[in-house]
Amino acid sequence: MKITVISYSLTGNNEALAAKLASEFSAEHIKIVPVIPRTFGMIALDMLFNRVPKINLSVKHIAANNFIIFVAPVWMGKIASPLRSCFEELKKHQHQYAFVSISGGADGSNPKLESELEKKLGKKPAIVLDYHIADLLPSEPKPTRDDTSAYRLTEENTLAITSQTVQNIQERLAN
Ligand SMILES: Cc1cc2nc3c(=O)[nH]c(=O)nc-3n(C[C@H](O)[C@H](O)[C@H](O)COP(=O)(O)O)c2cc1C
């Protein structure tokens, strides 16, 4: 099955993961760039008002039988807004897909990702993998939002998360 990775990243963590995943799967890697780069203020407005930021490209060309791996951060419990325009374009195609994120996790898990994906793409994800930076840091003192936001994945972190993700997705595709 042909795999396409579609990613967005504000500060580089999800970009590092997406690049390694694309390389491991020999996949096409499509990088989303919002026409207007997101600031913290814009992120809050995107999330509160469900805005769909304009982006640099269209994903309409992706064949319906491709498996798509979306990789992006979680913001305020939701998937980063720059992916929304792709979700709108892809909704009618009903691709099989996975969502992968390295998010902060300072406030615990992000339980609404799966339902958000199903609503926006009209189909359940094959798998959702939300890794947390908080789990990469010492547990005492408890990592704060500032700690997780400031953290940048090391090469070692990226390789470990990539290999876990490849294994999980391969198992899911085999079933
Ligand atoms: C405005 C904002 C809101 C965030 N909200 C969440 C959240 O709700 N849950 C979470 O786990 N992480 C949250 N994070 C942390 C990011 O998901 C995390 O830092 C991620 O690794 C950043 O990815 P990037 O480097 O690819 O941009 C938030 C970060 C920002 C900037």
Side-chain angles (χ1 to χ4, degrees):
M1 180 183 277
K2 199 171 169 206
I3 296 181
T4 303
V5 174
I6 299 181
S7 70
Y8 167 75
S9 177
L10 181 69
T11 55
N13 289 333
N14 286 280
E15 173 56 33
L17 179 56
K20 276 274 183 301
L21 276 173
S23 154
E24 285 295 312
F25 281 115
S26 302
E28 179 189 13
H29 184 186
I30 297 174
K31 297 178 195 176
I32 302 299
V33 181
V35 172
I36 304 175
R38 296 346 257 171
T39 60
F40 280 17
M42 290 165 92
I43 290 173
L45 292 174
D46 287 353
M47 293 305 158
L48 286 174
F49 298 111
N50 280 317
R51 301 197 306 191
V52 180
K54 286 198 173 58
I55 59 168
N56 59 325
L57 46 79
S58 161
V59 291
K60 283 185 184 151
H61 66 283
I62 299 175
N65 57 352
N66 277 24
F67 184 87
I68 300 178
I69 305 174
F70 295 104
V71 186
V74 175
W75 290 338
M76 299 168 69
K78 295 182 182 172
I79 296 163
S81 52
L83 253 61
R84 289 178 182 164
S85 157
C86 299
F87 291 161
E88 284 185 353
E89 283 189 353
L90 294 170
K91 188 168 185 179
K92 57 182 164 301
H93 296 295
Q94 302 271 297
H95 292 87
Q96 257 203 293
Y97 69 95
F99 176 75
V100 182
S101 183
I102 173 76
S103 65
D107 300 319
S109 67
N110 298 296
K112 295 187 174 158
L113 301 178
E114 190 151 344
S115 57
E116 182 187 354
L117 287 161
E118 192 174 352
K119 189 169 159 208
K120 293 209 163 91
L121 282 153
K123 185 178 167 106
K124 276 185 193 296
I127 190 165
V128 174
L129 298 166
D130 180 26
Y131 302 99
H132 292 159
I133 288 169
D135 296 335
L136 304 174
L137 298 172
S139 54
E140 288 298 332
K142 190 175 178 302
T144 63
R145 284 185 192 180
D146 283 349
D147 297 332
T148 56
S149 293
Y151 191 81
R152 298 292 169 265
L153 287 190
T154 63
E155 180 73 9
E156 199 184 350
N157 297 151
T158 310
L159 286 174
I161 295 172
T162 301
S163 112
Q164 204 176 325
T165 304
V166 169
Q167 196 182 334
N168 276 299
I169 291 178
Q170 277 174 341
E171 277 171 17
R172 193 51 61 97
L173 287 175
N175 290 328

